[in-house]
Amino acid sequence: MLAEGGSVAAVAAAHGYGSEAAFSRAFARVTGETPGRVRRAAA
């Protein structure tokens, strides 16, 4: 979803996270990259 241009907030909500910050921390912990970096790299 991030690579397709979805916002971090929209992706977080779609996956059941209560906040964008919680999703960002979990994403970075699992992938080693921040969601914003992944989204920018896909653009």
Side-chain angles (χ1 to χ4, degrees), residues 4-30:
E4 296 170 354
S7 71
V8 175
V11 175
H15 289 89
Y17 283 87
S19 71
E20 185 177 339
F23 172 76
S24 293
R25 284 191 303 272
F27 186 92
R29 184 177 61 248
V30 171

Side-chain angles (χ1 to χ4, degrees), residues 1-8 11 27 33-43:
M1 289 177 79
L2 290 170
E4 296 170 354
S7 71
V8 175
V11 175
F27 186 92
E33 302 233 10
T34 64
R37 180 175 289 185
V38 170
R39 194 173 74 145
R40 283 189 300 275

